[in-house]
Amino acid sequence: AKFALPYISPGVLPLHAVVAASSAAAGALCMSPFASLIHDFLDVDFTPWMAAQQSGAFQEGWSQVSQKARPRELAKEQVRGVIDGGYTDNTAIAHLVANGATKVVSFLDVGEKDYSKSFAKLFDQGNTVNGLSGGGNSRWGVPFLAFPIFAENATLIKEEFLNLPKVYHPGSKYLKHLSIGTLHATTVDNKWMGTTAGRKVAIHVVSVSSLVWVNTLNEFTEYSEFVAEITNALSAPANADLVRTELLEPMLS
């Protein structure tokens, strides 16, 4: 199909454009009637644009948008904004399951929180239609979508998540807690993510909560200590049985 042409030969895509798309955290501003005013004021565009062609996809997409092509022309070239995956599935679990995976190892960085909201969005929230819920999941007109692919109730899954076993890590400076364990889920039909109902999926979770983020330069050096704390926690004799039964054996089975 024409739409898939840019993805057939990813090696021909310019690296800087691919990196820009993968980290376009502000890319959805183009969908907001309010925040998009920032584009006009600063004369910048936070959204990488791609057209449906095998080479020059980013160049053509940007050219069409910057020249304010008519909607008919944009549709003809199948121009689309390619932005941060956090707006749809920030875990990549849905993509794996849609491609047939029944066992998934999910490494989750939950920041200073105790659980992953992105993980919970993959489960039934009761009132989600086409990615939008009645609870109001948008900010300044920018939608944060949820595409449930599992039948289990999101609130109950959150409780299971919070009750996952935690490794022992005394004296850690940056590691808040590290949870490991397995959650079981059953797929539902989701045309947006490409899942079909009735498949059983085992999700082996490694959830890391820390006091390190990426908003200051100091934290780049702090990450080395943080990684060492994770390594020490997973290799500590006190955690050997837990790591073996909840992480290594499920991963290798």
Side-chain angles (χ1 to χ4, degrees), residues 202-216:
I203 308 171
H204 307 302
V205 173
V206 181
S207 175
V208 179
S209 176
S210 74
L211 303 178
V212 181
W213 197 232
V214 291
N215 54 350
T216 67

Side-chain angles (χ1 to χ4, degrees), residues 25-61:
L29 290 179
C30 66
M31 302 178 66
S32 168
F34 314 110
S36 60
L37 295 175
I38 298 174
H39 288 176
D40 299 330
F41 180 75
L42 297 177
D43 193 26
V44 297
D45 193 340
F46 293 104
T47 308
W49 298 96
M50 174 188 283
Q53 54 190 54
Q54 194 163 348
S55 63
F58 280 102
Q59 295 92 324
E60 179 61 24

Side-chain angles (χ1 to χ4, degrees), residues 168-249:
Y168 183 65
H169 56 96
S172 293
K173 183 178 179 181
Y174 300 112
L175 178 60
K176 186 178 176 183
H177 63 71
L178 197 164
S179 304
I180 55 177
T182 300
L183 299 175
H184 297 277
T186 307
T187 59
V188 296
D189 289 325
N190 187 312
K191 66 178 181 179
W192 304 110
M193 285 298 184
T195 57
T196 55
R199 288 197 295 121
K200 302 294 184 181
V201 179
I203 308 171
H204 307 302
V205 173
V206 181
S207 175
V208 179
S209 176
S210 74
L211 303 178
V212 181
W213 197 232
V214 291
N215 54 350
T216 67
L217 293 178
N218 290 337
E219 288 174 325
F220 282 96
T221 58
E222 292 171 355
Y223 263 99
S224 61
E225 295 183 55
F226 174 44
V227 171
E229 291 177 358
I230 294 175
T231 303
N232 291 337
L234 291 175
S235 60
N239 298 319
D241 289 341
L242 176 61
V243 172
R244 183 182 68 254
T245 58
E246 295 292 342
L247 180 60
L248 297 180
E249 290 179 356

